Amino acid sequence: MKFQNFLKLNSVCPTKRWEDTSTFFLLTPHLIFQNILYVFLFFFFYLSPILSESKHQKIQPPEGDGITILVEKGQTLSIISKTYLDDPRKWKELLKSNQIDNPNLIIPGMKLWIPKSLGKKPLADIQRYTGKTEVLKISQKQTDWSGASVGEGLYAKDEVRTFKESEAQFLLLSGSRFEITENSHIIMEKGKSDTDPDELYLRRGRIRSIIQRKPSSNQRMFLLRTEAAVSEVKGTDFITEVDGSGNTTLSCYEGIVAVSAQNVTVNVGSGFATFVEKGKPPLKPFALPDPPKPKDE
C-alpha cells in the first residue's frame, strides 16, 4: 500500500474532537502510535529507495593492477566469477576486492574491478615482437584491434595478427613457446578442462612451435588447429603453414606430430613433413630436404 493511499484510507475516519480533557489524554497514546506509523511508512516508501540508490552510487572500484568491467543485465556474481576468474565459487573474493559487503548491491551498469592477482592466468604472454603486430582482446569484449605490447597476456578467444615484415614470439603457461612470422593470424583457444592441452588456431600464415615436454610421457602437450587439419604433439619442434586456400603444410624437426584430417591420422617424425589439402586427408609423410650447405669460398 502506498503512503498516499494509506492517508486517504485514514481520512475516512477522522479523529473526533473531544471537549473532555481527560478523554483527550486517554487517546494520546493512540495518536502517538499513529504518528510513528506514518513516519515509518514515509521512510519505507520514499527514503529507503533513495538511500539504497545512493549506496550503489558510492561504490567505486579501487585503483590497482587489473581490469574494470561493467556488470551486464542478467549477469550474476557466479557468472562473472566464471567468466573472469575461471571459478564461479570465487564471487566472495571478488566482492572483497571491491570492498562490497552485500551481494545484493550488484546491479547492471555498475563497475567491478578484477585484480590481476585474483583473475585467471593468461594462456600465453607476448615475449617480443617486431614490426606491426596487433591484438584483438575478445576476452575483454573489445571490438577494435590495438597495438601489441611486450608482457601482454592473451586469454581464450584473443587474436593476434602480424603484417608485412613483422613477427612475434609468445610463451605459453606450460612453458612452451611459439613464433609467428609476417602476415600471420592466430587465435588462442582453451581446452574444455584444466587437463586438456594448450590450443592454438592458425587462421593463416606460418608458426613455429617449440613444445615443452612434461614428465608424464603420454599426456598430450599441445594442440594446433588449422582449417584443414589438427596437429597433436608431445614435446617437439615443428613448423606449420597455412596458405591462402586454407591448405596446411607441417614440417617436423624434433619429436613426433600426429596430424589428423577427414578421420585419417598420420604420424610425422623428425625430418619429415606432410601436406593437408582443405577437405582431404593428410598425405603420407615425406622427407624434408636437407638444409642448404654454405658455398665453398
Side-chain angles (χ1 to χ4, degrees):
M1 180 187 298
K2 292 187 177 181
F3 182 60
Q4 295 93 331
N5 295 336
F6 184 87
L7 292 178
K8 186 176 180 181
L9 179 63
N10 281 270
S11 64
V12 177
C13 301
T15 305
K16 182 179 179 181
R17 293 184 178 181
W18 295 90
E19 299 295 337
D20 188 353
T21 306
S22 60
T23 308
F24 173 78
F25 282 105
L26 288 174
L27 293 177
T28 298
H30 171 73
L31 293 175
I32 293 175
F33 173 79
Q34 192 177 48
N35 290 334
I36 293 176
L37 183 60
Y38 287 165
V39 172
F40 171 79
L41 292 174
F42 177 78
F43 175 85
F44 183 80
F45 288 107
Y46 287 89
L47 295 183
S48 181
I50 296 175
L51 292 176
S52 177
E53 184 177 357
S54 65
K55 287 182 180 180
H56 291 310
Q57 294 174 347
K58 289 180 180 179
I59 296 175
Q60 296 293 336
E63 299 293 335
D65 190 9
I67 62 173
T68 301
I69 65 167
L70 285 177
V71 179
E72 298 181 357
K73 185 177 180 180
Q75 280 188 326
T76 64
L77 285 171
S78 296
I79 292 176
I80 295 173
S81 298
K82 173 63 177 177
T83 303
Y84 294 96
L85 308 181
D86 265 350
D87 190 345
R89 298 168 296 180
K90 286 187 175 181
W91 62 270
K92 292 184 179 179
E93 299 177 50
L94 183 61
L95 287 182
K96 185 177 180 181
S97 299
N98 285 268
Q99 301 176 3
I100 300 175
D101 297 326
N102 187 356
N104 295 323
L105 297 181
I106 305 300
I107 59 174
M110 74 176 298
K111 294 181 179 180
L112 281 181
W113 179 58
I114 312 294
K116 186 175 181 180
S117 59
L118 186 61
K120 57 185 178 182
K121 296 181 179 179
L123 301 180
D125 291 325
I126 300 177
Q127 295 292 291
R128 65 174 181 84
Y129 69 92
T130 59
K132 185 179 180 181
T133 302
E134 294 183 338
V135 178
L136 181 61
K137 302 302 287 288
I138 299 296
S139 61
Q140 297 183 17
K141 299 186 177 180
Q142 293 182 1
T143 56
D144 297 325
W145 290 85
S146 59
S149 59
V150 174
E152 184 173 7
L154 300 175
Y155 298 84
K157 306 302 181 182
D158 287 348
E159 304 182 25
V160 181
R161 65 183 181 185
T162 56
F163 293 81
K164 186 177 181 180
E165 298 181 352
S166 64
E167 61 181 16
Q169 185 181 91
F170 310 84
L171 181 66
L172 293 168
L173 188 61
S174 62
S176 303
R177 62 184 177 90
F178 60 94
E179 303 169 354
I180 58 175
T181 58
E182 63 178 0
N183 299 319
S184 298
H185 185 172
I186 62 168
I187 302 175
M188 304 300 303
E189 294 185 350
K190 181 175 175 58
K192 295 181 180 180
S193 67
D194 294 336
T195 58
D196 288 340
D198 299 319
E199 294 187 26
L200 282 177
Y201 180 82
L202 180 62
R203 177 167 288 179
R204 70 169 185 271
R206 185 173 184 263
I207 181 173
R208 180 186 180 188
S209 309
I210 303 176
I211 309 306
Q212 182 71 33
R213 184 184 295 274
K214 293 183 180 179
S216 52
S217 58
N218 293 325
Q219 184 178 359
R220 292 190 306 170
M221 299 298 303
F222 185 76
L223 212 60
L224 177 62
R225 301 179 184 273
T226 66
E227 190 174 5
V230 177
S231 303
E232 181 181 326
V233 299
K234 300 177 182 177
T236 186
D237 182 354
F238 67 102
I239 292 178
T240 305
E241 297 182 66
V242 177
D243 61 23
S245 300
N247 304 319
T248 299
T249 301
L250 184 138
S251 305
C252 181
Y253 298 95
E254 181 183 341
I256 298 177
V257 183
V259 181
S260 302
Q262 302 299 313
N263 297 320
V264 176
T265 300
V266 297
N267 292 318
V268 183
S270 177
F272 285 81
T274 187
F275 176 79
V276 185
E277 186 177 351
K278 182 180 176 181
K280 295 184 179 181
L283 297 181
K284 181 180 179 180
F286 52 88
L288 288 169
D290 294 331
K293 296 180 179 180
K295 295 181 179 180
D296 296 333
E297 296 183 357

